[in-house]
Amino acid sequence: MSVAVYNTLTRKKETFVPINPDRVVMYVCGPTVYNYAHIGNARPAVIFDLWRRVLERHYPEVVYARNITDVDDKINTAAAQQQVPISVISERFTRAYLEDMAALGVNPPTIAPKATEHMPEIIAMIEQLITTGNAYQAEQHVLFSVESFPAYGQLSRRDMREMLAGARVDVAPYKRHPGDFVLWKPSTGELPGWDSPWGYGRPGWHIECSAMAAKHLGKVIDIHGGGQDLVFPHHENEVAQSCCAHGETHFARYWLHNGFLQMDSRKMSKSLGNVVTVHELLQTWPGEVLRYVLLSAQYRQPLDWCEQALQQARKTLDRLYVTLRDHAAENTPSGEVPAAIIDALNDDLCTPKALAELNTLAKQLANAQDDQRRQLLTGQIKASGELLGILKQSPAAWFSAQKSDVDADKIDQLIADRNAARGAKDFARADRLRDALTDMGVIIEDGPTGTTWRVE
Ligand code: AMP
Ligand code: ZN
C-alpha cells in the first residue's frame, strides 16, 4: 500500500517514494520562540506529527527534525522590550511551546535542533557558498546571489523579472540584485553575535534551516514541511542555499505545506492581531479538543477557527468516550486500525474522512450485539485513536477532568497513602494509587520538597 502526497514542487499528488526505504528523513520548520504559539502555529506541528505517525506504519525508521529558531530579530526586540537577556525569552518560549504541543498530543520530534547550537555548521555552509560563487560579501554582510542559481523561483513558481518588479524601492544599496538575501549580518551592542570570517555577527533565518537539515538529515532529504506562508521566500531560499552548497539538483524531494488556520476568514497572524494562543485555549479546552478541530479539515485546506468548531469537537469526543465507557468490551487491548482509516490517511492525509470512519466505528460499537464484535470494534477504536493522537485517556479521566470541582481532600489522601506505601516498600500498592490518581486526571510530581499535583 502506498502513500500519496501533494508535492508543492510539482503541484501534483504523487506516490511517495523515499530515497532510502529503511530510513525516511523529514524536516519541518519549527517556531521562532519570542512569544506563545498561536493555534495557527500549532497546525503544522499537529499535521506533521500525524504525517510522521502515518509514515512510521510504512517504514522501519522515520527521522523527524523540527528546529527551534532561537536567534532572530523578533526575539531581540522582545528581550529589549521586556528588559531581559535574550536567552530568557528564547528559553521561556521554547519551554512553553514544548508544553503546549505535548498537550495537543504532539510527540517530540526525533531531533529538535536549535540554531544557536549550530554556528560552526552555519558558518561553514556560508563559506562554501562564497567558494562556489553563490554568495558575496558586502558591507559586513554576506548575501546569496539569486542570479547565480538558475532554478531560483522554481518551488514558488516565481519569475525573476516578476520578483524584480515587485521588489520594494528601498533595497539595501549593497545588494547586487534586489532579490539577494542575507546569509550573515553584523551585530553590535546588545545583539547576539558570533565571530566569523566576516566579523562579529549573526546568521539570516534561511541559512539556519539549510545548515541544520544538512547536519542531521543529509544533503538531500525526503520531505520538507511547513505552512504555506513559508514557500516564498523561506523555502525558496533554503532550496537555493542547499542545492548550491551541496551541488545537488534537489534539497527535498517532496515539499508539503499546510493551509492557513483562519479567524473571520483571515489568516491568523500576529501582525494582523487576530491570534488566540494555545496557552490560553488550554485554560478552557482539553488538548484533545484542540487537536480534533485541527484534524477536522484536510491539512491543505483553510480551517476556520471558531467557538462552534470547538464545541462540536468536544461533543464528538464526549460521544466517543461515552461509547467506550458504556459499550467497550472490558480490558480489550488495542487492535488493528481498520483499512478505511489507513486508506484515508494514506491519501494525502485525508483526516476528515478518517475521523468520519472513527465515528462510524463508535456507532457500530454502540449497536454491537455480541462480545466478539464488541471486542473487535473496541480494539479498532483504540488503535485508531492512538494513531490519530486522540482518545488517550480513560473515559473516567476524560469526564472527571471536565469537572471544575476537583476533590482536593481526596487527592491529598491518595497521595499520602501512596507515600506511605512507598515508605513501606509496597511498590505495587503505590503504583495502584498512582494509577487511581491518573484515572482522575491528576498528575503527580515527586520533588525534593515532597509530592505536588495538578489536574491534567
Ligand atoms: P513562525 O513561528 O511564524 O515561523 O511559524 C511557525 C509555523 O507556523 C510555520 O510553519 C508557519 O508556516 C505556520 N503558521 C503560521 N501562521 C499560520 C496559520 N495562520 N495557519 C497555519 N499555519 C501557520
Ligand atoms: Zn525553515
Side-chain angles (χ1 to χ4, degrees), residues 71 115-124 184 194 201-203 208:
V71 47
T116 49
E117 291 170 4
H118 292 76
M119 282 308 144
E121 290 82 3
I122 291 170
I123 290 171
W184 191 263
W194 290 261
R202 60 196 194 281
E208 296 172 10

Side-chain angles (χ1 to χ4, degrees), residues 27-30 67 69 205-210 212 224-226 230 234-235 238 251 255:
Y27 184 95
V28 173
C29 297
N67 71 294
T69 299
W205 171 36
H206 316 302
I207 195 74
E208 296 172 10
C209 284
S210 281
M212 288 188 277
H224 195 312
L230 300 188
H234 186 53
H235 289 166
E238 281 189 37
F251 170 26
W255 285 88

Side-chain angles (χ1 to χ4, degrees), residues 352-369:
K353 200 159 168 212
L355 291 173
E357 294 289 347
L358 177 65
N359 285 295
T360 304
L361 289 179
K363 271 189 211 120
Q364 290 171 348
L365 175 60
N367 295 323
Q369 297 300 325

